[in-house]
C-alpha cells in the first residue's frame, strides 16, 4: 500500500507540472500521449483505492453531477470595484487626489495591467489546496461556484510550492479567449440558439452553468492579478511582499497565469504611453480588454491611502472609449431560423461603428425588447459588442416621437402564420410548424453548408426558389430533383442544372459525421457531431441509444443527449432518415474510438499556429482537427512552433514565421496529412 501511495503522489506531481507547463507557461514538458497514459494510470489506481482520492487530484477537475443551485457566501475579504477614468485628464486628477493623502511621497512607481473583459472571481487555498471559488457578486457576497472553477485548467488545484501559505486569497479574472468565444457562437448558431453578445457575457454565463461538464467544454482561461495572505506576518514560510509587482511574480511562482503585458512605470507619463500603445495594439490580443488598470506599486503606500466608501484610492481603471453611436430605429423585423427561433432585428438608420457601416442590430428576444421598452422611431445607442456583434445598448426615451408605438413580438409566425410558442424556461419564441418555409429553407442552407454536406452551387437564392416553387419540402427532396425541374427555374440553364445535380449526388459520399451535423439537431455542432459519430458508428446505433448512453460520452452533456434522443423519437425525422438511406447517404462507417492509443495521431508532438482566412475550414474547426490528430495549436509564433497554417490575408504571424525559418503549410497540406 505504501508503494501505491507513493506512485499516486508521484503521478499527481507529474501531471500538475505538465498542466502548469502547458496551460500557464505555454511550453509543454511532455507529449500528449504520455500525459494521457499517466492520467489513465492515476485514474486506475484511484479507482482501485478510492480512499486515496483527494480534491486536488487532476482526475477531480470536472465533477460528475450538476449542481442543483449555487449558494450565496460571504467573501473573506471584500472585493472592491475600481473607480473609472475615461481619459488622460481624469487620470491626472486621480493622481492629484491620492497625492493629497500622501503629499510627502516621492519617486512613485505605478504598475499597469491590461483590464481583461471577463468576470472577477475570488479563490481560497488552504495549505496549498483550492477549497473555494466565488463570483464577485456585490463585492461582499458572491456565489460559490467551486465546482466550475476547478474545470479551468490555468487555475491550479494545488499551489506549486513545497511551503504553501496556510491560507491565501487569490483574485483574478476568468475570461474566454476570442477564438473560443467565436467557436462557441458558431456552435450556438448551428444549433439554433441565441448568440452571446460578447466574451464578457459568455464568460459570466458559463461560470453560472450548473453542469461543470459544460463549463469544461467552454475552455475558460484565467489571469491572477492580486492576492491576500491573512496572518502572513506570523508565518515564517510566507514571503514578505512589499509591492504589487512582487505579488504578481509570487503568483506566477505559485502556478498562476499573470498577464505577460504588465509593466512597471516610473511616472504618469509612462502610464500614458502604455495606455496609448495598447489602444492601438489591443485588437491583436487573443482576448478582449477594455482598458488599463493602474495601481500604485508600493503596498505600504496603498495601506496609507486606504479606501473610499466604494473604491481603493490607490488604483483606477483607465477605460478605452467604447465605440458607440446614436441612431434611429426605422423598423423591427423578425427572422425565423432553421430551428424555428424568432429573432427580432432592429433596422437602423446606417451608422459608422468600428470601421464598418451598421444598419441592423439584434434585439435577441422578447425579454430584451421589454427591458429596453423599445418603440418604433426611438433614438437608440448602438454598440458593436466586443467589436463583433452590433447591439442596441439603450434607448433615449426623451427623444421619442409622441406617436411612437411600442415594439411587440408577433403571436404568429411571420412566415407561415401559424401560432408561435415560448417553451418553459426558455427566452426564445419559436415556430413549431416543421413545414414552415423559413424552417425548411434554414435546414436546406445548413445541409448544403461547408461543414455539413458541402453542396457547391446550392446557395440561399436557389434554396428560396426550390422551396417557393414547391419542389423541395425537406433535404431528402434534393436527391429526387430532375434536370427538367431545375431548368424550369429562373436563371437556371441546363449546364448549371446538371452541375448542381452532380454536386448533390456527390454529397452522398460525405462521411456519417457530416450527415449527422447536417441534420441540424439542436445543440449538435461540427465537433459534437464528430464525437457522436465516433462513439455511435451508425445512425441506427445513435437512434437506439438511451439518453444515459449518449451523455456518458466525454464532451457530450445532458442537454445535448436529451436533444439527440428527442430528435430521433419524432416520426417525421425517422421518415427523413429512411429517405436519406434510400438516397445512399453515408449513415454509418466511422469506427468508435476506444482509446487514445487506438486513434491515429499523425501530428503527435507538433505545434501549430494558424493565421489568415482558410479556404474552407473555419479556424476553430482547423484547430480541432489538429488537436484530434495529436497536435497542439498556440496563438503566437515562437522558436518552438513547428508549422504555421497559412490562409489568405495572413499578417504579422506569417512574417515572424518567415524570420524564424518556420515551415508554412496550406489547408490542403493539412488535410492531406490527416487523410494519409
Amino acid at each position: 500500500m505504501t508503494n501505491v501511495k507513493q506512485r499516486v503522489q508521484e503521478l499527481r506531481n507529474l501531471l500538475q507540472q505538465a498542466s502548469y507547463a502547458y496551460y500557464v507557461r505555454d511550453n509543454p514538458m511532455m507529449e500528449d500521449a504520455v500525459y494521457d497514459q499517466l492520467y489513465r494510470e492515476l485514474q486506475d489506481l484511484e479507482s482501485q483505492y478510492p480512499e486515496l482520492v483527494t480534491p486536488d487530484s487532476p482526475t477531480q477537475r470536472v465533477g460528475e453531477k450538476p449542481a442543483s443551485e449555487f449558494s450565496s457566501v460571504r467573501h473573506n475579504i471584500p472585493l472592491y470595484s475600481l473607480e473609472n477614468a475615461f481619459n488622460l485628464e481624469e487620470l491626472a486628477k486621480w493622481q492629484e487626489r491620492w497625492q493629497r493623502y500622501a503629499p510627502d511621497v516621492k519617486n512613485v512607481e505605478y504598475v499597469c495591467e491590461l483590464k481583461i473583459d471577463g468576470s472577477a472571481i475570488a479563490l481560497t487555498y488552504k495549505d496549498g489546496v483550492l477549497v473555494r471559488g466565488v463570483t464577485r457578486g456585490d463585492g461582499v457576497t458572491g456565489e460559490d461556484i467551486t465546482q466550475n472553477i476547478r474545470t479551468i485548467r490555468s487555475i491550479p488545484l494545488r499551489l506549486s510550492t513545497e511551503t504553501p501559505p496556510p491560507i491565501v486569497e487569490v483574485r483574478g479574472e476568468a475570461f474566454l479567449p476570442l477564438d473560443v468565444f467565436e467557436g462557441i457562437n458558431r456552435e450556438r448558431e448551428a444549433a439554433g440558439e441565441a448568440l452571446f453578445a460578447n466574451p464578457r457575457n459568455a464568460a459570466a454565463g458559463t461560470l453560472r452553468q450548473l453542469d461543470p461538464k459544460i463549463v469544461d467544454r467552454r475552455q475558460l482561461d484565467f489571469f491572477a492579478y492580486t492576492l491576500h495572505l491573512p496572518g502572513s506576518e506570523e508565518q515564517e514560510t510566507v514571503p514578505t511582499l512589499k509591492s504589487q509587482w512582487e505579488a504578481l511574480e509570487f503568483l506566477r511562482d505559485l502556478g498562476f497565469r499573470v498577464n505577460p503585458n504588465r509593466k512597471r512605470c516610473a511616472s504618469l507619463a509612462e502610464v500614458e504611453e502604455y495606455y496609448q500603445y495598447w489602444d492601438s495594439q489591443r485588437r491583436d490580443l487573443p482576448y478582449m480588454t477594455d482598458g488599463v488598470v493602474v495601481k500604485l506599486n508600493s503596498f505600504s503606500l496603498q495601506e496609507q491611502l486606504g479606501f473610499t466608501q466604494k473604491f481603493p484610492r490607490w488604483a483606477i481603471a483607465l477605460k478605452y472609449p467604447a465605440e458607440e453611436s446614436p441612431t434611429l430605429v426605422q423598423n423591427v423585423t423578425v427572422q425565423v431560423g432553421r430551428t424555428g427561433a424568432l429573432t427580432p432585428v432592429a433596422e437602423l438608420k446606417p451608422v459608422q461603428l468600428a470601421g464598418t457601416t451598421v444598419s441592423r442590430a439584434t434585439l435577441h428576444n422578447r425579454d430584451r425588447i421589454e427591458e429596453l421598452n423599445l418603440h418604433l422611431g426611438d433614438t437608440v445607442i448602438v454598440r458593436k459588442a466586443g467589436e463583433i456583434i452590433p447591439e442596441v445598448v439603450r434607448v433615449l426615451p426623451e427623444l421619442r416621437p409622441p406617436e411612437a408605438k411600442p415594439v411587440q413580438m408577433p403571436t404568429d409566425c411571420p412566415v407561415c402564420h401559424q401560432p408561435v410558442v415560448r417553451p418553459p424556461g426558455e427566452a426564445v419564441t419559436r415556430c413549431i410548424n416543421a413545414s414552415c418555409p423559413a424552417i425548411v429553407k434554414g435546414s436546406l442552407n445548413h445541409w448544403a453548408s461547408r461543414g455539413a454536406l458541402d453542396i457547391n452551387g446550392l446557395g440561399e437564392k436557389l434554396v428560396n426558389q426550390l422551396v417557393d416553387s414547391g419542389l423541395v419540402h425537406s433535404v431528402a427532396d434534393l436527391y429526387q430533383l430532375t434536370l427538367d425541374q431545375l431548368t424550369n427555374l429562373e436563371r437556371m440553364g441546363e449546364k448549371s442544372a446538371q452541375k448542381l445535380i452532380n454536386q448533390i449526388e456527390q454529397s452522398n459520399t460525405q462521411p456519417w459525421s457530416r450527415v449527422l451535423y447536417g441534420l441540424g439537431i439542436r445543440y449538435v455542432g461540427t465537433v459534437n457531431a464528430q464525437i457522436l459519430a465516433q462513439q455511435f458508428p451508425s445512425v441506427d446505433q445513435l437512434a437506439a441509444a438511451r439518453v444515459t448512453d449518449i451523455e456518458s460520452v466525454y464532451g457530450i452533456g445532458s442537454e445535448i443527449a436529451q436533444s439527440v434522443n428527442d430528435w430521433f423519437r419524432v416520426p417525421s425525422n425517422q421518415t427523413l432518415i429512411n429517405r436519406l438511406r434510400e438516397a445512399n447517404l453515408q449513415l454509418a462507417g466511422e469506427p468508435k474510438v476506444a482509446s487514445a492509443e487506438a486513434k491515429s495521431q499523425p501530428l503527435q508532438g507538433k505545434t501549430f499556429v494558424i493565421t489568415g482566412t482558410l479556404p474552407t475550414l473555419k479556424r476553430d474547426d482547423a484547430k480541432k482537427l489538429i488537436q484530434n490528430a495529436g497536435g497542439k495549436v498556440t496563438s503566437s509564433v515562437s522558436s518552438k512552433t513547428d508549422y504555421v497554417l497559412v490562409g489568405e490575408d495572413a499578417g504579422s504571424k506569417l512574417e515572424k514565421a518567415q524570420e524564424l525559418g518556420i515551415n508554412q503549410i496550406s489547408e490542403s497540406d493539412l488535410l492531406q496529412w490527416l487523410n494519409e
Side-chain angles (χ1 to χ4, degrees):
M1 187 63 174
T2 301
N3 291 338
V4 173
K5 286 183 178 179
Q6 290 176 346
R7 180 56 177 165
V8 164
Q9 191 56 49
E10 180 183 13
L11 289 169
R12 287 176 185 162
N13 290 339
L14 285 170
L15 291 170
Q16 181 178 346
Q17 292 169 18
S19 184
Y20 174 72
Y22 187 95
Y23 291 104
V24 179
R25 294 295 195 187
D26 197 20
N27 185 20
M29 60 176 282
M30 64 175 64
E31 305 293 343
D32 289 350
V34 176
Y35 183 95
D36 292 341
Q37 182 179 348
L38 296 175
Y39 187 90
R40 284 193 299 276
E41 183 184 348
L42 179 58
Q43 276 184 317
D44 291 342
L45 289 173
E46 290 181 343
S47 177
Q48 294 175 48
Y49 304 95
E51 67 274 16
L52 297 182
V53 177
T54 59
D56 62 313
S57 173
T59 64
Q60 304 302 301
R61 271 203 178 271
V62 184
E64 290 298 320
K65 296 180 179 179
S68 57
E69 61 180 4
F70 296 123
S71 59
S72 180
V73 296
R74 191 175 184 87
H75 289 295
N76 296 326
I77 301 169
L79 271 77
Y80 284 86
S81 57
L82 293 179
E83 181 182 2
N84 289 324
F86 294 96
N87 52 56
L88 296 177
E89 290 76 16
E90 292 182 2
L91 177 69
K93 289 179 180 178
W94 166 74
Q95 179 178 252
E96 292 173 4
R97 286 196 299 274
W98 74 253
Q99 284 178 334
R100 295 192 200 112
Y101 291 87
D104 299 327
V105 174
K106 307 296 181 185
N107 301 321
V108 174
E109 267 195 340
Y110 298 92
V111 172
C112 291
E113 302 165 64
L114 295 178
K115 187 176 183 298
I116 308 303
D117 204 11
S119 289
I121 54 178
L123 310 174
T124 302
Y125 289 80
K126 289 186 178 180
D127 297 321
V129 176
L130 176 66
V131 295
R132 195 174 83 163
V134 183
T135 62
R136 181 186 181 278
D138 62 4
V140 177
T141 61
E143 290 183 311
D144 189 333
I145 55 168
T146 307
Q147 186 173 234
N148 290 344
I149 293 298
R150 296 171 65 84
T151 69
I152 304 175
R153 296 306 200 270
S154 47
I155 293 179
L157 299 180
R158 175 180 285 276
L159 300 178
S160 299
T161 175
E162 294 296 326
T163 55
I167 296 179
V168 59
E169 295 270 343
V170 175
R171 305 289 166 78
E173 199 84 4
F175 65 95
L176 279 172
L178 284 174
D179 60 342
V180 175
F181 168 72
E182 291 164 359
I184 290 172
N185 262 352
R186 284 196 294 270
E187 293 276 341
R188 293 177 70 85
E189 183 178 27
E193 298 179 86
L195 303 185
F196 284 120
N198 52 53
R200 180 185 64 257
N201 289 358
T206 297
L207 286 172
R208 298 195 74 258
Q209 288 286 333
L210 293 174
D211 188 348
K213 292 181 181 178
I214 296 176
V215 185
D216 183 45
R217 286 201 304 274
R218 289 190 181 170
Q219 303 175 55
L220 285 165
D221 208 338
F222 178 79
F223 280 131
Y225 55 68
T226 193
L227 80 165
H228 299 278
L229 297 164
S232 60
E233 64 279 358
E234 302 171 6
Q235 303 295 329
E236 295 181 1
T237 59
V238 176
T240 301
L241 301 175
K242 297 181 179 180
S243 68
Q244 170 67 11
W245 192 263
E246 289 181 6
L248 291 172
E249 296 291 299
F250 185 53
L251 283 166
R252 189 181 60 180
D253 293 341
L254 292 178
F256 291 95
R257 287 191 74 195
V258 293
N259 196 291
N261 299 307
R262 63 193 184 279
K263 184 181 180 181
R264 276 189 295 189
C265 298
S267 66
L268 209 63
E270 286 189 27
V271 172
E272 293 173 358
E273 289 176 6
Y274 177 93
Y275 170 77
Q276 290 168 338
Y277 173 81
W278 283 109
D279 189 19
S280 61
Q281 298 297 316
R282 60 194 172 104
R283 290 170 182 81
D284 295 329
L285 291 168
Y287 46 80
M288 288 297 301
T289 177
D290 59 353
V292 172
V293 174
V294 184
K295 299 177 183 176
L296 292 170
N297 191 28
S298 168
F299 279 169
S300 62
L301 182 54
Q302 289 184 14
E303 185 176 358
Q304 179 183 345
L305 294 176
F307 297 80
T308 68
Q309 289 185 349
K310 295 182 179 180
F311 313 116
R313 291 191 177 93
W314 40 266
I316 196 166
L318 180 56
K319 304 291 285 289
Y320 291 117
E323 289 246 23
E324 296 183 347
S325 183
T327 187
L328 290 174
V329 176
Q330 298 176 325
N331 194 16
V332 172
T333 57
V334 177
Q335 299 176 337
V336 183
R338 64 178 178 82
T339 65
L342 272 62
T343 303
V345 177
E347 306 289 343
L348 308 169
K349 183 178 180 180
V351 63
Q352 285 289 316
L353 275 180
T356 61
T357 300
V358 173
S359 58
R360 308 173 86 238
T362 180
L363 293 167
H364 300 294
N365 51 49
R366 176 181 295 171
D367 289 348
R368 181 57 176 159
I369 290 175
E370 293 176 353
E371 180 185 349
L372 290 167
N373 187 24
L374 185 66
H375 289 55
L376 290 178
D378 269 344
T379 298
V380 296
I381 300 298
V382 183
R383 174 176 64 201
K384 265 199 170 181
E387 299 177 358
I388 299 171
I389 303 170
E391 67 171 353
V392 175
V393 180
R394 62 186 180 277
V395 173
L396 302 179
E398 63 273 17
L399 301 180
R400 178 175 294 153
E403 70 282 3
K405 295 181 179 180
V407 174
Q408 295 182 336
M409 286 288 285
T411 56
D412 294 337
C413 173
V415 177
C416 70
H417 308 296
Q418 295 297 306
V420 297
V421 300
R422 183 174 177 177
E426 292 193 18
V428 178
T429 303
R430 295 185 185 277
C431 172
I432 56 173
N433 174 21
S435 300
C436 174
I439 296 176
V440 175
K441 290 176 182 178
S443 299
L444 289 169
N445 283 316
H446 178 70
W447 182 264
S449 65
R450 284 179 176 175
L453 280 295
D454 194 17
I455 303 176
N456 189 25
L458 185 57
E460 186 174 349
K461 290 182 179 179
L462 183 53
V463 163
N464 291 340
Q465 286 193 72
L466 291 171
V467 175
D468 293 342
S469 65
L471 289 176
V472 173
H473 301 280
S474 80
V475 296
D477 291 336
L478 291 172
Y479 299 89
Q480 306 298 320
L481 290 171
T482 66
L483 192 63
D484 289 340
Q485 288 174 323
L486 290 176
T487 52
N488 286 329
L489 296 175
E490 184 181 352
R491 297 184 181 179
M492 179 65 76
E494 185 174 337
K495 186 175 180 181
S496 298
Q498 186 59 58
K499 186 175 180 181
L500 177 60
I501 287 178
N502 292 342
Q503 285 288 324
I504 292 172
E505 289 177 350
Q506 289 175 16
S507 72
N508 65 15
T509 63
Q510 294 286 7
W512 158 224
S513 58
R514 284 191 173 228
V515 176
L516 176 56
Y517 172 62
L519 292 175
I521 301 173
R522 197 174 178 199
Y523 306 128
V524 177
T526 53
V527 176
N528 290 333
Q530 291 173 14
I531 294 171
L532 288 169
Q534 289 172 348
Q535 297 299 322
F536 301 95
S538 73
V539 69
D540 295 325
Q541 288 175 282
L542 185 56
R546 297 169 299 180
V547 173
T548 52
D549 298 329
I550 301 171
E551 69 181 356
S552 67
V553 177
Y554 181 78
I556 303 297
S558 57
E559 199 172 32
I560 300 172
Q562 188 64 58
S563 178
V564 171
N565 186 267
D566 290 346
W567 193 92
F568 280 103
R569 304 284 79 78
V570 177
S572 60
N573 291 337
Q574 296 169 7
T575 301
L576 173 62
I577 293 297
N578 289 333
R579 292 189 64 196
L580 294 176
R581 199 190 309 272
E582 292 170 0
N584 296 319
L585 270 293
Q586 301 297 313
L587 301 176
E590 299 190 35
K592 179 177 179 180
V593 179
S595 65
E597 289 85 0
K599 190 174 181 180
S600 176
Q601 300 277 290
L603 305 182
Q604 182 67 50
K606 301 300 182 183
T607 299
F608 292 75
V609 170
I610 305 172
T611 182
T613 304
L614 302 177
T616 65
L617 292 173
K618 294 179 180 178
R619 185 172 295 196
D620 194 55
D621 293 336
K623 180 178 178 180
K624 292 293 184 185
L625 288 174
I626 292 169
Q627 291 173 335
N628 289 341
K632 177 190 174 186
V633 179
T634 59
S635 59
S636 57
V637 178
S638 71
S639 59
K640 299 183 183 299
T641 304
D642 295 297
Y643 298 99
V644 174
L645 176 57
V646 181
E648 293 183 9
D649 300 323
S652 58
K653 292 179 183 178
L654 175 59
E655 295 175 4
K656 187 167 184 180
Q658 291 170 339
E659 291 175 7
L660 296 174
I662 294 168
N663 294 320
Q664 296 128 49
I665 63 169
S666 65
E667 179 189 289
S668 60
D669 295 328
L670 173 66
L671 295 176
Q672 183 177 345
W673 287 353
L674 298 177
N675 292 323
E676 286 178 350

